[in-house]
Amino acid sequence: MTKEDIMRRAIQLSIESVRKGGGPFGAVIAKNGEIIAEASNCVTIDCDPTAHAEVSCIRKAASKLGTFDLSGCEIYTSCEPCPMCFGAIYWAHLDKIYYANDRKDAGRIGFDDDFIYQEIALPAEERMKPSEILLRDEAIKAFQLWEEKEDKTEY
């Protein structure tokens, strides 16, 4: 399949998602031109704020391939990934992101991903969502154990 064929599938998934009550987003993960996994946005359908097309697609691809490292694969999304999905794409080690609509297009229809991108860039004390460090001295023990663990699987 060509890149355009795969993107058309992601776009079709986004259209189908709207028709079945989901959000207007679709994603496909491919390797060497072959579709490995596909998903659409199911946030409202599944009552799961993390059920974005990209995250769901990554989960399916990782399960199908039996690995958390999706190096060698590319993701095609109907829209520029939100910050959560963008982070998941990096954690999954996908080689490349192709997207059709951008975050400004999403913003025009009420999906203000750009706001979160702006929030991330701010120092914690300037963000709209308050946060504070709590029990760091206790929590650091897990990090120390991880650091000392000789048989850990890096990711």
Side-chain angles (χ1 to χ4, degrees):
M1 296 180 84
T2 67
K3 293 185 289 189
E4 292 79 9
D5 291 335
I6 299 168
M7 181 58 81
R8 284 187 184 100
R9 181 60 186 147
I11 293 167
Q12 184 60 39
L13 288 164
S14 71
I15 292 167
E16 291 171 7
S17 183
V18 172
R19 290 185 175 142
K20 70 179 185 182
F25 306 98
V28 174
I29 292 177
K31 185 171 188 169
N32 301 322
E34 178 188 338
I35 292 176
I36 303 298
E38 56 182 45
S40 59
N41 181 287
C42 292
V43 169
T44 56
I45 293 168
D46 294 346
C47 297
D48 179 354
T50 69
H52 289 205
E54 298 92 336
V55 169
S56 296
C57 197
I58 288 168
R59 289 174 180 159
K60 288 179 179 181
S63 178
K64 181 175 182 177
L65 296 176
T67 181
F68 55 82
D69 185 344
L70 298 178
S71 297
C73 298
E74 300 170 328
I75 190 163
Y76 296 75
T77 71
S78 63
C79 186
E80 182 178 5
C82 75
M84 176 183 70
C85 295
F86 190 68
I89 288 166
Y90 270 81
W91 282 118
H93 305 287
L94 288 157
D95 289 356
K96 189 168 184 175
I97 304 166
Y98 295 96
Y99 61 89
N101 297 313
D102 65 22
R103 68 175 101 159
K104 293 186 187 328
D105 296 322
R108 282 191 280 280
I109 62 166
F111 293 92
D112 196 8
D113 300 355
D114 201 43
F115 167 76
I116 301 171
Y117 274 106
Q118 292 171 27
E119 281 283 292
I120 290 170
L122 293 173
E125 63 275 4
E126 293 179 25
R127 294 180 186 150
M128 297 285 291
K129 227 23 116 179
S131 62
E132 67 179 270
I133 295 173
L134 185 65
L135 299 178
R136 181 186 177 278
D137 291 342
E138 293 178 31
I140 203 72
K141 291 175 186 167
F143 282 13
Q144 291 166 341
L145 285 170
W146 175 259
E147 189 175 39
E148 295 164 4
K149 188 172 176 63
E150 292 183 18
D151 62 342
K152 62 186 166 215
T153 302
E154 303 269 353
Y155 59 95

